[in-house]
Amino acid sequence: NAKSQGGDRFCFYNESMSDQADRRLELENQLRHAITRNEFVLNYQPVINLRNNQLVGVEVLLRWQNSELGNPGPDEFIHIAEHSGQIIAIGTWVLEQACQQVMTWSRAGFPALNVAVNISSKQFIDGDILASVDRALKQSGLPAAQLELEITEGLLLNDTPAIRDIFKQLKARGVHLSLDDFGTGYASLSYLKRYPFDTLKIDRSFVNDIDNCQDSITLTNAIIAMAHSFDMRVIAEGVENLNQRRILRERHCDMVQGYLYSPALPADQFLEWASRYGEMQYSRHV
Ligand code: C2E
Ligand code: MG
Ligand code: MG
Ligand code: MG
């Protein structure tokens, strides 16, 4: 106990360690039933073309509605699901639901949207990502060119022929690939040349202080110029104010997403947002 182990602080430390382990275990246990109990919901965040202000797509962000656990966010539960292997089944579910939702909107007369889905490295390494993608496209009828897979630099660190082959096969289908959270990981710039990314996403942490830090502007400039020289489009994530947007526009950033427009919303709310946004755009042009 506390005294025998040398004081309260040590005891507190130990307790919090075991609390964390308990929480982790609890999440892992509950994750097992999350799909069958319909606890997962997809939210959709608009992606805007900076040149013409058009809504061009959505990023799909997973939400876990489990009030007993306090509705854990993806930053908490995704890596648990990755460690336990549950991410494979969850990722497959996300892909299928996302493609279906966007096609449902499209069939209802809504303009075609690109749909960006976050893919865990585990799905590339252990899961049959090609089969999941094929099934999701076939079931939904979504054109492959409207699907974009977001991958983080971590995957590129285990650069193997198998992974390169998957990339090649995805490209052959017309699926787009985007490098998420760029600038936060350890990937070398040479990966940009070696892998066929269509899009590079500038991490929120750069965008966050672009309006009050010259270094962030310099870095963002360099990232955009480099991406364009590799024929990639650039999306800035986490745009929260007009000043950030102005700077990004001046630097020829292609697309943005962030709270300035909208957070990720449940499907019905997203549709309302998009209709209002569309009307606003329309009324500006007439
Ligand atoms: P990400 O892919 O980089 O997603 C962007 C995160 O930034 C999202 O957090 C989004 O809600 C948040 N965000 C967007 N605009 C703003 C803004 O203007 N300000 C601020 N402060 N935040 C903004 P979220 O939804 O909590 O997701 C966190 C991460 O969890 C994602 O980062 C992604 O790596 C992962 N994730 C989410 N859904 C999935 C999924 O279906 N599969 C996998 N494998 N990972 C997912
Ligand atoms: Mg993402
Ligand atoms: Mg990101
Ligand atoms: Mg992120």
Side-chain angles (χ1 to χ4, degrees):
N1 67 22
K3 292 286 176 277
S4 65
Q5 289 177 346
D8 290 2
R9 254 184 75 191
F10 194 78
C11 178
F12 173 76
Y13 184 64
N14 256 344
E15 262 175 23
S16 89
M17 290 285 280
S18 84
D19 281 354
Q20 273 179 31
D22 286 351
R23 166 92 179 159
R24 224 191 134 88
L25 207 62
E26 184 61 23
L27 261 69
E28 191 182 320
N29 283 333
Q30 300 255 357
L31 271 173
R32 249 177 241 140
H33 314 288
I35 292 180
T36 52
R37 291 179 182 160
N38 287 317
E39 292 174 349
F40 285 133
V41 172
L42 297 185
N43 278 7
Y44 301 84
Q45 185 176 41
V47 178
I48 308 292
N49 181 331
L50 261 188
R51 237 164 285 131
N52 57 15
N53 291 317
Q54 295 270 348
L55 170 66
V56 287
V58 289
E59 177 174 6
V60 175
L61 293 155
L62 184 58
R63 298 291 176 257
W64 183 12
Q65 298 188 323
N66 183 317
S67 49
E68 204 184 312
L69 294 172
N71 302 325
D75 279 331
E76 185 179 12
F77 71 78
I78 292 286
H79 76 271
I80 295 174
E82 284 173 338
H83 275 278
S84 66
Q86 291 157 318
I87 193 66
I88 308 279
I90 296 171
T92 299
W93 182 88
V94 171
L95 257 173
E96 290 179 3
Q97 293 294 310
C99 293
Q100 245 153 40
Q101 181 60 76
V102 169
M103 268 318 272
T104 302
W105 288 331
S106 182
R107 291 205 176 95
F110 203 75
L113 293 175
N114 294 327
V115 53
V117 179
N118 291 286
I119 305 289
S120 156
S121 304
K122 269 268 153 70
Q123 291 173 264
F124 268 84
I125 296 161
D126 306 336
D128 202 346
I129 184 72
L130 285 170
S132 300
V133 165
D134 286 343
R135 209 169 36 240
L137 292 175
K138 194 168 171 214
Q139 278 177 1
S140 63
L142 183 82
Q146 269 169 258
L147 180 62
E148 181 142 357
L149 305 184
E150 296 195 1
I151 294 141
T152 53
E153 292 169 319
L155 175 66
L156 309 181
L157 295 176
N158 27 110
D159 180 16
T160 65
I163 288 171
R164 288 190 193 210
D165 187 59
I166 296 174
F167 271 60
K168 219 182 278 165
Q169 299 213 44
L170 288 167
K171 293 303 300 174
R173 286 159 170 75
V175 172
H176 289 232
L177 296 172
S178 96
L179 184 54
D180 203 355
D181 300 344
F182 186 76
T184 59
Y186 305 95
S188 122
L189 291 181
S190 66
Y191 288 121
L192 293 183
K193 205 173 59 184
R194 265 189 275 161
Y195 288 94
F197 287 107
D198 301 281
T199 309
L200 191 154
K201 298 190 78 168
I202 304 180
D203 193 66
R204 202 166 79 209
S205 56
F206 294 108
V207 177
N208 199 28
D209 46 22
I210 197 178
D211 49 341
N212 51 40
C213 167
Q214 186 55 45
D215 286 351
S216 283
I217 297 185
T218 306
L219 270 169
T220 302
N221 253 337
I223 293 173
I224 294 171
M226 181 190 57
H228 284 165
S229 76
F230 281 115
D231 267 331
M232 287 183 278
R233 296 164 308 157
V234 181
I235 302 183
E237 51 178 36
V239 176
E240 295 183 355
N241 64 52
L242 292 166
N243 203 22
Q244 292 166 344
R245 184 179 69 180
R246 180 185 53 76
I247 293 167
L248 289 162
R249 191 176 266 145
E250 282 168 9
R251 265 69 184 181
H252 307 292
C253 178
D254 302 282
M255 284 163 283
V256 285
Q257 56 186 107
Y259 295 169
L260 173 62
Y261 294 90
S262 170
L265 299 169
D268 50 341
Q269 288 176 43
F270 170 78
L271 205 57
E272 283 168 30
W273 179 91
S275 308
R276 259 185 287 124
Y277 184 78
E279 279 165 26
M280 202 175 77
Q281 289 304 115
Y282 179 72
S283 63
R284 264 197 202 142
H285 288 293
V286 288

